Amino acid sequence: MIQNATSYSIAPLEFLVGKYLPDFKGSITVKTDDALLDKFSGGGMEMQALTDRNKYAPFYTIAVRSDVASDIDHILCHEFCHLMQMNDGRLSLDMASKVFTWEGKKYSGAYPYMSRPWEIEACRMEVAYIQEYNASQKPKKCKCKLFKI
């Protein structure tokens, strides 16, 4: 189940979950939370979104900034990659200590963003996911012989 507590369309996320996690039994909540994202921002980098998983169940929260409307499709595709990394057990986040664990190795929240292996993978996959989503949105051709489209 996906819950949207924002004014943004979450269609890319719905598409990706349907395609890659068709039997998903957990929940995903998308919400705006600038204060949380401010806590994880720093070093000249402002976080635009953050995905977290409940430690005991497959309940995910994707927090996005309140002013990312023009980039929301890309952001959701990027965060879906993190959701997959968490779902696979390769990535976890300790919110209290701001420590990420990637494939068993711990990284401080201060570790440079563009050097984080999970971010490198998410940036690469974001491109593939957005292309896949966009291709799925192409208008279908009308098969009706009365009109030419």
Side-chain angles (χ1 to χ4, degrees):
M1 167 183 262
I2 303 175
Q3 300 171 346
N4 186 4
T6 75
S7 60
Y8 303 129
S9 167
I10 60 166
L13 182 63
E14 293 169 326
F15 168 78
L16 292 168
V17 169
K19 180 169 184 175
Y20 291 100
L21 297 171
D23 299 324
F24 183 70
K25 302 285 189 245
S27 71
I28 303 166
T29 300
V30 182
K31 66 178 188 169
T32 55
D33 194 338
D34 293 343
L36 173 67
L37 293 166
D38 287 343
K39 288 180 186 178
F40 280 85
S41 295
M45 216 285 295
E46 179 181 79
M47 296 278 293
Q48 297 300 301
L50 179 74
T51 299
D52 188 30
R53 179 185 172 162
N54 179 293
K55 186 176 181 179
Y56 303 105
F59 302 150
Y60 298 87
T61 301
I62 299 175
V64 296
R65 286 216 177 264
S66 58
D67 62 352
V68 296
S70 64
D71 293 329
I72 194 65
D73 289 358
H74 283 271
I75 288 169
L76 290 174
C77 288
H78 183 98
E79 294 305 311
F80 177 74
C81 183
H82 293 316
L83 186 147
M84 292 289 286
Q85 292 165 341
M86 290 176 175
N87 195 54
D88 293 344
R90 296 184 307 135
L91 176 65
S92 64
L93 167 61
D94 182 332
M95 293 284 265
S97 63
K98 297 183 190 175
V99 171
F100 296 89
T101 303
W102 172 252
E103 296 182 343
K105 183 177 177 184
K106 296 193 181 299
Y107 294 83
S108 159
Y111 193 79
Y113 180 84
M114 292 310 295
S115 296
R116 298 173 180 178
W118 62 95
E119 292 297 349
I120 293 167
E121 180 177 281
C123 287
R124 182 177 39 82
M125 291 306 299
E126 172 190 338
V127 172
Y129 288 148
I130 196 72
Q131 288 173 344
E132 224 176 310
Y133 170 69
N134 287 339
S136 78
Q137 299 306 299
K138 288 185 180 174
K140 308 289 188 245
K141 293 197 176 202
C142 178
K143 294 183 180 182
C144 176
K145 304 226 187 271
L146 298 175
F147 302 100
K148 291 184 180 182
I149 298 179

